[in-house]
Amino acid sequence: METMGRHIIAELWGCAVDKLNNLQYIEQVFIDAAHLAGAEVVKVAFHLFAPQGISGVVIISESHLTIHSFPEHGYASIDVYTCGVRMDPNVAVSYIAKSLEAKSSEMIELPRGMGEIQIRTRRALKGLSSS
Amino acid sequence: METMGRHIIAELWGCAVDKLNNLQYIEQVFIDAAHLAGAEVVKVAFHLFAPQGISGVVIISESHLTIHSFPEHGYASIDVYTCGVRMDPNVAVSYIAKSLEAKSSEMIELPRGMGEIQIRTRRALKGLSSS
């Protein structure tokens, strides 16, 4: 298997607070996001903290998706990392941002497994969820 | 809980091939790395692929540690992400690099949950495991 990978680091702000604290919802969003991107899901592990906040991961054959949610700040910290050239991690990140109703976001893409780590692309969006 | 976090992305090369494909060993190294850094382990999920390669995660109260190993390339892709100011993710990354006998590495640190994502520090090391 090739070491080459694409790792998107996304900071989502202004998310729907109730969704950021809904374990079943977030777990399903992440599984669906992996499938939408064409990934094969290998392991799923999510945890709801007291009094609030969720951490979780979906391990895929092509690497992983993770979330750490902070409902009290409307913030979710997202990673989507895919190996190979077949998959586009942006598909998964966009679906997650939309599902959490993020009002703004910042995303960077890092190449992995290719030598020096550089920020390849940077996107900042406002009004992702304007409806 | 504060959104502020420290995320280290580490590329380890020249690792010991047998260790990169040893599920029990890697799982224990990651649990130990989390504890060394002062983290509380919440979930552990590791998977051995056929014919080779391991993906895994340790979810901690303070975020996560992940690995994707490529024994055929002597390469391991590592993330250690800790929230708050109490923990130093470098402690965990250094322990992992040493445990996998990485001969060279590149690491960057990204701030999370603080607005614009920037590469805060960059380290490239040769001869990590010179013994």
Side-chain angles (χ1 to χ4, degrees):
Chain A
M1 193 171 182
E2 287 306 303
T3 59
M4 194 277 282
R6 302 171 66 182
H7 187 164
I8 295 181
I9 289 185
E11 307 277 73
L12 307 183
W13 298 94
C15 300
V17 170
D18 59 327
K19 291 184 173 164
L20 289 185
N21 215 34
N22 185 329
L23 189 74
Q24 287 71 29
Y25 180 79
I26 286 187
E27 187 170 318
Q28 193 59 53
V29 164
F30 270 68
I31 292 170
D32 291 346
H35 288 151
L36 273 174
E40 182 191 23
V41 173
V42 172
K43 296 241 181 198
V44 177
F46 283 80
H47 182 78
L48 177 64
F49 291 97
Q52 58 190 348
I54 288 167
S55 283
V57 63
V58 174
I59 295 178
I60 54 179
S61 293
E62 303 82 0
S63 294
H64 70 251
L65 300 82
T66 61
I67 181 170
H68 304 287
S69 81
F70 299 75
E72 68 276 36
H73 299 284
Y75 166 68
S77 166
I78 309 293
D79 286 46
V80 176
Y81 175 10
T82 60
C83 283
V85 294
R86 189 177 59 83
M87 288 176 56
D88 182 359
N90 290 290
V91 172
V93 173
S94 297
Y95 178 76
I96 292 164
K98 186 178 171 189
S99 299
L100 297 180
E101 301 176 22
K103 291 192 174 55
S104 67
S105 70
E106 196 203 351
M107 300 173 193
I108 61 168
E109 182 175 332
L110 302 169
R112 301 293 298 260
M114 299 174 67
E116 190 176 18
I117 311 165
Q118 297 287 354
I119 294 177
R120 184 181 281 160
T121 60
R122 178 186 294 277
R123 284 192 298 151
L125 299 173
K126 296 275 182 188
L128 271 177
S129 173
S130 56
S131 59
Chain B
M1 191 169 182
E2 287 306 304
T3 59
M4 193 277 281
R6 301 170 68 181
H7 187 163
I8 294 182
I9 290 186
E11 308 276 73
L12 307 184
W13 298 93
C15 299
V17 170
D18 58 326
K19 290 184 173 164
L20 289 185
N21 213 35
N22 185 328
L23 188 74
Q24 287 71 29
Y25 180 78
I26 286 187
E27 187 170 316
Q28 193 59 53
V29 164
F30 270 69
I31 291 169
D32 291 345
H35 288 151
L36 273 174
E40 182 191 26
V41 173
V42 172
K43 297 240 181 199
V44 177
F46 283 79
H47 182 78
L48 177 64
F49 291 97
Q52 58 190 349
I54 288 167
S55 283
V57 63
V58 174
I59 296 178
I60 54 179
S61 293
E62 304 82 1
S63 292
H64 70 251
L65 299 83
T66 61
I67 181 170
H68 303 288
S69 80
F70 299 75
E72 68 276 36
H73 298 284
Y75 167 67
S77 166
I78 309 292
D79 286 46
V80 176
Y81 174 10
T82 60
C83 283
V85 294
R86 189 178 58 83
M87 288 177 54
D88 181 359
N90 290 291
V91 173
V93 173
S94 296
Y95 178 75
I96 293 164
K98 187 178 170 188
S99 299
L100 297 180
E101 300 177 23
K103 290 194 176 53
S104 67
S105 70
E106 197 204 350
M107 301 174 193
I108 61 169
E109 181 175 333
L110 302 169
R112 301 293 299 258
M114 300 174 68
E116 190 176 16
I117 312 164
Q118 297 287 354
I119 294 177
R120 183 182 282 160
T121 60
R122 177 188 294 278
R123 285 192 298 151
L125 299 175
K126 296 277 181 188
L128 271 176
S129 172
S130 57
S131 59

